[in-house]
Amino acid sequence: MQAVRTSPRLPRLIGVVAMSATVLAWTGSPAHAAEEVTQTVTVDLGDLDASGTGQIDQFDPALGELTAVDIDAEVSMDFAVCVTNLSEEASTTNDGVVSGTAELIFAGDAVATTSGDMAVPADELPPSEGTDGCSDWLDAGGDAGTQPSGDNSSLTAATDTDTWSASLTAPAELAPYVGSGAVDFDYSAGSASDLSQPSEWTLVFLASGAAKVTVTYTYVPTTSSEVCADDPQDPECDEGGNPGNPGNPGNPESGQLPDTGGPAGWLLPLGAALAIAGGAIVTMVRRSHFA
């Protein structure tokens, strides 16, 4: 019986496919995914006249390598303007604008400049009723949710919010945020008004504010092998790669395969199996060809 001849290209092709699958399986596995740590700090801006220093917890370098610092600032400013006509004649108030500013300065040359304002409309008020509604309102606490007494008084109140964000990635920018302590940021606020009223009027302008700062650290986690390479006595090495622990997967004497960085460590055994399979197929087909 005549033997069936097999093309010599076929075994080579099968072997190449098997070994290519090995390479794809290994290189296609993702590296350690980036993780995030977020914290939020709030500072009181007083009557939009306060200044001071806030603190942010630094990134713990034991977690891994810091790759980005994202800073988000949300500044809220509350305004209230109360006017009372104390004259014996009806009159119209002047319109105008009250405003505020707040600046926050972060390490890494990141400066948040925020602002807010409120328009105060003109309002016609009747003659005095013998009471000073705005003075009484202020003595009672100046609550923007309550109205002053008397038709000869009016109140305008509103809240304005401004936001700011920045992302730091340069090594020099990230350096101040790494450590075991805290990194400071400075803040200051101010307010202004262009309102003017006659001497027979009471004018009360109140302002207050607060800033909420959210910091997100993005980092690449430190692997167990890296931890143990730097400090073999680290407690984490008992589970992640201490060469001195016979029962540890990272110990060659344990008989277990090390963590390859792929999902559950199966990619390296799979790649080896595919390579062996490819070589076996090539050998079998060659034997058949030369039989």
Side-chain angles (χ1 to χ4, degrees):
M1 177 180 295
Q2 184 176 2
V4 178
R5 296 180 61 83
T6 305
S7 172
R9 295 181 180 179
L10 180 59
R12 297 176 184 175
L13 179 60
I14 295 175
V16 169
V17 170
M19 285 183 283
S20 296
T22 302
V23 174
L24 289 175
W26 175 250
T27 59
S29 64
H32 292 278
E35 297 185 15
E36 295 181 346
V37 175
T38 300
Q39 61 178 303
T40 299
V41 177
T42 301
V43 295
D44 186 0
L45 300 177
D47 295 333
L48 292 185
D49 60 358
S51 60
T53 300
Q55 289 188 329
I56 302 168
D57 291 337
Q58 288 180 304
F59 171 74
D60 182 359
L63 295 176
E65 179 185 0
L66 182 64
T67 58
V69 176
D70 293 311
I71 307 173
D72 296 287
E74 180 180 281
V75 178
S76 296
M77 300 182 184
D78 300 318
F79 304 104
V81 173
C82 185
V83 292
T84 297
N85 180 8
L86 297 178
S87 69
E88 297 179 355
E89 297 181 358
S91 184
T92 301
T93 64
N94 298 322
D95 62 354
V97 175
V98 293
S99 60
T101 59
E103 183 178 74
L104 299 91
I105 304 175
F106 301 94
D109 296 327
V111 180
T113 301
T114 61
S115 62
D117 59 53
M118 180 185 73
V120 181
D123 190 11
E124 184 175 351
L125 297 178
S128 173
E129 299 176 347
T131 60
D132 189 342
C134 286
S135 293
D136 295 340
W137 171 81
L138 181 61
D139 291 341
D143 185 356
T146 62
Q147 290 293 322
S149 61
D151 293 336
N152 61 323
S153 296
S154 68
L155 175 69
T156 303
T159 298
D160 199 4
T161 301
D162 198 5
T163 58
W164 173 91
S165 62
S167 182
L168 310 178
T169 57
E173 296 173 334
L174 300 180
Y177 294 91
V178 179
S180 58
V183 56
D184 294 340
F185 67 92
D186 296 326
Y187 62 88
S188 60
S191 60
S193 168
D194 65 0
L195 297 174
S196 60
Q197 303 297 339
S199 59
E200 294 183 328
W201 289 69
T202 295
L203 170 62
V204 178
F205 167 39
L206 300 181
S208 62
K212 181 173 70 174
V213 177
T214 300
V215 177
T216 301
Y217 292 134
T218 301
Y219 67 98
V220 177
T222 300
T223 64
S224 297
S225 59
E226 291 171 337
V227 171
C228 296
D230 294 336
D231 183 9
Q233 303 304 318
D234 191 290
E236 294 185 6
C237 295
D238 291 339
E239 298 180 357
N242 184 354
N245 183 358
N248 191 290
N251 182 3
E253 298 178 0
S254 68
Q256 302 181 48
L257 289 173
D259 182 5
T260 64
W266 55 266
L267 288 174
L268 183 59
L270 174 61
L274 288 174
I276 294 172
I281 292 173
V282 172
T283 302
M284 292 173 61
V285 175
R286 284 181 174 175
R287 288 179 179 177
S288 174
H289 174 67
F290 289 106

